[in-house]
Amino acid sequence: MSLLERNIPKATAKRLSLYYRAFKRFNAENIEKANSKQIAEAIGIDSATVRRDFSYFGELGRRGFGYDVKKLMNFFADILNDHSLTNVALIGVGNIGKALLHYRFHERNKMKITMAFDTDDNELVGTKSPDGIPIYAISTIKDHLAKDEITTAILTVPSLKAQEVADILVEAGIQGILCFSPVHLSVPRHVVVQYVDLTSQLQTLLYFMNQD
């Protein structure tokens, strides 16, 4: 059953990867049982939120006994599809793109950038990253994505180009986009977009710092 079919609130869905990370850490520390307070402290929320989030998934634990760490780790791995490797395409090999090419997603989760794309005249096109990830011209994106059956992309292009490139990605069969460009993308309903706005996050941090 998908998260939509379960009618999971977006706020809860956004915490799923945090719960998964917490249970993986507990498991690595040989902790067999964890209560809602321990889980809450691990991800920086309150115990009531943990219990409410978990209630959407049925009976995950027993009152007074806590939660089985290995069972919950595997449970969230299933929900997040982290039992099988997900290949990801990177679009835009600028400063952020280059940094992401060096980030070893697969050492922490089963996600891996397997190819990158940039404008046809970029000098990096036709080369490989230090980790061996090929960099192709964006004009060839449809053929390469289809060959590797990639449906997930990270978008790190200038804001003025973001929508144009998003349209190309949708036409190429991409179903999920992680967008680092500070613009709202217009995509079909079946395409999921998550935004990472570093400037906005930093400004929010500074706001709260000033309030304190």
Side-chain angles (χ1 to χ4, degrees):
M1 183 182 293
S2 70
L3 295 183
L4 289 176
E5 291 171 326
R6 290 177 183 268
N7 198 29
I8 303 299
K10 284 187 177 181
T12 297
K14 289 181 178 180
R15 284 190 286 269
L16 296 180
S17 62
L18 300 180
Y19 289 129
Y20 180 39
R21 184 187 305 166
F23 280 109
K24 285 203 300 182
R25 196 189 78 197
F26 291 153
N27 185 64
E29 295 173 354
N30 296 316
I31 298 173
E32 296 182 355
K33 300 283 185 181
N35 58 38
S36 57
K37 182 180 180 181
Q38 289 172 295
I39 299 166
E41 290 176 349
I43 66 175
I45 58 175
D46 59 84
S47 301
T49 299
V50 172
R51 292 191 293 270
R52 184 171 61 249
D53 285 348
F54 285 13
S55 70
Y56 293 109
F57 300 97
E59 197 68 35
L60 295 184
R62 294 172 56 193
R63 184 179 293 275
F65 288 88
Y67 299 93
D68 184 299
V69 167
K70 188 162 291 186
K71 177 182 176 182
L72 269 293
M73 181 182 69
N74 290 327
F75 174 80
F76 286 110
D78 286 337
I79 287 181
L80 296 169
N81 193 33
D82 200 49
H83 285 309
S84 58
L85 182 66
T86 298
N87 291 332
V88 179
L90 173 71
I91 321 299
V93 193
N95 291 332
I96 294 178
K98 288 176 182 175
L100 290 173
L101 283 179
H102 287 84
Y103 188 80
R104 298 178 180 273
F105 292 93
H106 60 283
E107 292 183 356
R108 299 165 179 83
N109 297 91
K110 294 191 176 179
M111 299 175 287
K112 185 177 182 181
I113 295 176
T114 56
M115 60 181 68
F117 297 87
D118 211 303
T119 55
D120 292 28
D121 59 354
N122 188 310
E123 62 182 11
L124 294 175
V125 168
T127 68
K128 292 184 177 182
S129 74
D131 290 332
I133 300 170
I135 302 171
Y136 301 116
I138 198 166
S139 60
T140 67
I141 193 169
K142 196 168 185 177
D143 291 337
H144 283 103
L145 294 186
K147 183 176 65 177
D148 279 26
E149 298 182 344
I150 293 178
T151 58
T152 307
I154 300 175
L155 187 60
T156 60
V157 300
S159 300
L160 292 176
K161 290 290 185 179
Q163 184 61 57
E164 177 185 343
V165 176
D167 292 340
I168 294 173
L169 293 176
V170 171
E171 186 178 345
I174 288 294
Q175 298 174 17
I177 300 172
L178 181 64
C179 180
F180 279 79
S181 302
V183 294
H184 180 78
L185 301 177
S186 176
V187 297
R189 289 179 60 88
H190 72 276
V191 178
V192 179
V193 181
Q194 288 288 315
Y195 297 93
V196 180
D197 188 339
L198 299 177
T199 300
S200 176
Q201 291 296 320
L202 182 56
Q203 288 175 330
T204 301
L205 170 66
L206 294 175
Y207 168 79
F208 284 115
M209 288 171 62
N210 290 332
Q211 295 304 303
D212 292 340

